[in-house]
Amino acid sequence: MTTSNTDAGVAATNALSSTGAASAAPVEARTTDRTPRTKRHRHPRRDNLVAYLMLAPMVVLLIIFVIIPFINAGYLSFFNWSFYKPSEFVGFRNYVNVLEDPDFLGSIGRGLYFAAMVVPTGMILAFVFANVVKGLGKKLSGFVKTSVYIPTIISGVIASIIFVVIYDYSGGILNWFLGLFGVQPIAWLADPSIALPALAVPAVWIGFGITALIMLAGMLDIPDSYYEAASLDGAGWFKQMLFITIPSLKNVILYLLIAGFTAAIQEINLPLVMTQGGPLNSTLLPNLYLFNHFTQDTYQGMPIAGALLLFIVLGAISAAIFSILNSDKAVDG
């Protein structure tokens, strides 16, 4: 075996000598590249220890602020628990009660409907906006990006107050504007059939800035060579968008879809400030339902059970979205 290896080494040396300096350089480069990898893997246990030490603070915080409260909430959900009275073990009665409450089930369905209005609308508008801004000059695009980001830094309470003024029946800007075209005033927040869509508008407005900027960042990461090659092949704007832009933004779209869905279905500021869940519970979203019961009921076991059920619903739907739109590793990553 030693003799054969020596012969192979001599043959390789002769081959390198025959190919000259041009081929020797890459071989040397490859040899140089191997050295750091060898050193890097020389102490795998030490590398693992460093990784564990760096992860330890986050794991400790996760245990303290997420896992322990979650387990405690699951424990309390089996009790008639109160801040002021002794607790009583009731088993699964809280879960049965909340599942038999039509208001809770209605709030879940309403939350899904609200998310279905907000998320696709916001993502389509953000996609169009990002496409437009991508073609602008540096100064103008900077001004536009700053302008659209302003609603993101406005709190949900302030945005709610702004839109209550806009929607006002007698003195609101929206009814005044529609009146210029002969449209009669509309009770935007008092009509059960349009109150929830009226809340969806400020939700889209608040989330539009950050969604558009993330979408724009994803577009700017797509290499221009893709579009240049497509143009040489005769592909127009629509085909480039369909076969280059959207597939390249798959991971960005997946993230925005999950984040937007969970944020929309858990919206509480807008219905709490603008309608208090009315009229006729038409804007009673899941978190507002839980908030009302947690602050108004004598015992808090049922809203805790409802919160855990909502967590299961959100987790199941998020997992379904992940399974349908599998994220891909970046090409250059």
Side-chain angles (χ1 to χ4, degrees), residues 158-309:
I158 295 176
S160 302
I161 295 172
I162 292 173
F163 274 84
V164 167
V165 174
I166 293 175
Y167 286 143
D168 187 69
Y169 180 80
S170 57
I173 298 174
L174 184 56
N175 278 337
W176 169 81
F177 177 76
L178 294 176
L180 298 177
F181 302 94
V183 179
Q184 294 296 319
I186 300 173
W188 297 100
L189 301 178
D191 187 342
S193 63
I194 59 173
L196 194 60
L199 262 62
V201 174
V204 172
W205 181 68
I206 293 172
F208 174 74
I210 188 66
T211 304
L213 293 185
I214 292 175
M215 195 83 77
L216 177 62
M219 287 184 182
L220 293 177
D221 274 346
I222 301 174
D224 292 335
S225 58
Y226 291 3
Y227 296 103
E228 293 169 0
S231 298
L232 292 175
D233 289 339
W237 176 84
F238 182 75
K239 285 188 175 180
Q240 291 180 17
M241 180 192 69
L242 193 62
F243 295 107
I244 296 177
T245 305
I246 293 179
S248 299
L249 290 176
K250 184 177 179 181
N251 291 342
V252 174
I253 293 173
L254 177 63
Y255 165 74
L256 292 175
L257 197 59
I258 296 293
F261 168 78
T262 53
I265 200 171
Q266 296 187 81
E267 179 62 60
I268 185 172
N269 288 326
L270 296 175
L272 178 64
V273 176
M274 296 178 70
T275 60
Q276 295 82 46
L280 302 176
N281 288 343
S282 61
T283 59
L284 185 65
L285 298 181
N287 271 3
L288 183 57
Y289 168 89
L290 297 174
F291 174 79
N292 288 340
H293 279 274
F294 192 82
T295 55
Q296 297 172 8
D297 290 359
T298 304
Y299 294 100
Q300 281 71 39
M302 193 179 94
I304 292 175
L308 294 177
L309 290 175

Side-chain angles (χ1 to χ4, degrees), residues 77-80 90-105 289 301-306 309:
S77 68
F78 293 101
F79 288 83
N80 255 347
V90 295
F92 287 93
R93 188 190 303 168
N94 286 327
Y95 289 91
V96 174
N97 289 340
V98 75
L99 287 175
E100 290 180 347
D101 188 352
D103 288 344
F104 175 74
L105 299 179
Y289 168 89
M302 193 179 94
I304 292 175
L309 290 175

Side-chain angles (χ1 to χ4, degrees), residues 61-92:
L61 292 176
L62 183 69
I63 292 173
I64 294 175
F65 293 106
V66 177
I67 295 178
I68 292 177
F70 184 82
I71 295 174
N72 188 47
Y75 172 76
L76 293 178
S77 68
F78 293 101
F79 288 83
N80 255 347
W81 179 76
S82 172
F83 289 104
Y84 311 105
K85 295 184 178 181
S87 300
E88 176 190 359
F89 180 76
V90 295
F92 287 93

